[in-house]
Amino acid sequence: MSTSTISRRNAAPAAAPNGTARAASRRRDTLHGWGFMAPFMAFFVLFLIWPLLHGAYMSLTGKSLTGANDSFLGLANYAEALADADMWHSLGNTLYFTVISTVPLVLVALAMAGLVNMGLPAQWLWRLSFFAPFLLASTVVSLFFTWMFNPQLGLLNELLAMVGIPPVAWLNNPDVAMWSIVIATLWWTVGFNFLLYLAAMQNIPVQHYEAAQLDGAGGWRQFFSITLPQLQPTTIMIVILQVLASLKIFDQVYQMTGGGPGGATRSTVQYIFETGFTGYRLGYSSAISYIFFGLIVLVSIAQFFITRKRSA
């Protein structure tokens, strides 16, 4: 018998332990992975999955903060919500705010990023000035603009008086109140969109602009033919994020107008809050929450298909 045959026979039994060892090692790695994931999974289940399931069940009951009626009602809360004029009115206010706030929050952010990207001196100061309001708490911003919009002492009416324009009841006029909240929201949150646009602009290859200059393209032609097309993915992302954020508006409305005057600025989230914690109807407010959640899901799906079609 040759030496090579003997060595092969001796080596064959060692293959099984090596395979077993690798399998055991993979099992240990899997267990270690689940061990590292366990804290996150515990918080995920405890603070997201469980509230989601419990809220869905609560929406089918007459649950109340007073504990007066916890009986199972089925879809009665949903039927009542779909026939609730106040819910539809608050939903209309929310959609109206989303439309009139998303457009300036995109266009103003784009203009601000374009100005900074032009190479203005002291760019760090411009970036800080544009982004700093985004770091403020909603309470600070709401209080600041409440004083700015004050009919008697507010700075805006003082400026209008200088040019002969009568004072405006910014937060007390149903036709103006929502626009006042849009102005406050624009000043507060446009810095985040500005930062996204600026980062995207600075990632555009400079060779594109150099080639356009050689072809005789001016600044505006370069902006519309190079900058805007290159910013399309960023614009899509900003629009999606802004629409979802605007649909969930609550803080500045609740703090600046309380939903008034006459419910003209009351958002859906505020109506859910008032129904559950002022009217004590937790089950009914949960049903409205899930109807609103379904609307947000539909909007997200529609945006996904629209953006995918445009990018194809």
Side-chain angles (χ1 to χ4, degrees):
M1 186 180 291
S2 63
T3 305
S4 60
T5 303
I6 296 173
S7 62
R8 285 197 298 272
R9 288 182 177 180
N10 293 335
N18 289 339
T20 304
R22 286 194 294 269
S25 177
R26 285 196 295 267
R27 284 195 296 269
R28 285 195 301 269
D29 292 342
T30 301
L31 290 175
H32 291 162
W34 280 107
F36 282 113
M37 289 177 59
F40 167 77
M41 292 299 296
F43 278 96
F44 181 75
V45 171
L46 183 62
F47 294 106
L48 183 63
I49 300 300
W50 167 246
L52 189 66
L53 297 176
H54 183 65
Y57 171 75
M58 189 185 301
S59 68
L60 303 175
T61 69
K63 181 73 173 178
S64 172
L65 280 178
T66 62
N69 179 21
D70 294 345
S71 59
F72 186 80
L73 302 178
L75 299 177
N77 285 331
Y78 290 91
E80 181 182 352
L82 293 176
D84 188 350
D86 289 334
M87 190 207 75
W88 288 110
H89 182 65
S90 64
L91 181 59
N93 290 338
T94 303
L95 295 177
Y96 179 60
F97 172 83
T98 301
V99 171
I100 65 176
S101 65
T102 299
V103 175
L105 279 166
V106 172
L107 296 180
V108 173
L110 178 61
M112 291 164 56
L115 290 173
V116 174
N117 193 53
M118 289 172 57
L120 297 175
Q123 285 202 12
W124 66 270
L125 180 60
W126 291 102
R127 294 177 186 175
L128 177 63
S129 301
F130 290 156
F131 184 72
F134 184 74
L135 303 177
L136 297 176
S138 62
T139 306
V140 175
V141 176
S142 300
L143 183 61
F144 172 73
F145 275 94
T146 299
W147 280 104
M148 289 277 289
F149 291 137
N150 186 284
Q152 287 78 33
L153 306 174
L155 177 61
L156 289 182
N157 279 343
E158 290 289 336
L159 295 176
L160 293 178
M162 292 180 182
V163 294
I165 300 177
V168 177
W170 295 95
L171 300 178
N172 299 320
N173 187 338
D175 298 326
V176 183
M178 188 65 81
W179 285 98
S180 304
I181 295 174
V182 169
I183 293 173
T185 304
L186 175 66
W187 181 86
W188 178 29
T189 61
V190 72
F192 180 76
N193 297 342
F194 151 76
L195 210 59
L196 294 178
Y197 267 131
L198 181 62
M201 286 182 180
Q202 294 180 343
N203 283 328
I204 299 176
V206 69
Q207 293 85 352
H208 295 347
Y209 296 102
E210 293 174 351
Q213 288 177 354
L214 292 176
D215 291 339
W220 285 108
R221 173 56 61 184
Q222 294 179 30
F223 178 77
F224 285 105
S225 300
I226 299 176
T227 305
L228 282 184
Q230 293 288 328
L231 293 178
Q232 182 177 2
T234 303
T235 301
I236 292 173
M237 180 184 66
I238 289 176
V239 170
I240 292 175
L241 293 176
Q242 193 57 59
V243 168
L244 294 179
S246 297
L247 286 173
K248 297 182 292 184
I249 181 176
F250 172 73
D251 294 359
Q252 55 269 49
V253 172
Y254 186 74
Q255 294 163 356
M256 293 176 64
T257 64
T265 61
R266 182 168 58 183
S267 66
T268 304
V269 176
Q270 182 179 347
Y271 185 62
I272 294 171
F273 171 80
E274 292 176 350
T275 303
F277 295 98
T278 304
Y280 305 121
R281 300 186 63 189
L282 293 181
Y284 182 58
S285 65
S286 297
I288 300 174
S289 299
Y290 279 85
I291 293 175
F292 187 53
F293 172 73
L295 173 65
I296 293 178
V297 170
L298 291 177
V299 171
S300 302
I301 293 174
Q303 285 185 322
F304 171 76
F305 282 106
I306 291 173
T307 55
R308 188 177 68 172
K309 183 177 179 180
R310 288 183 177 179
S311 59

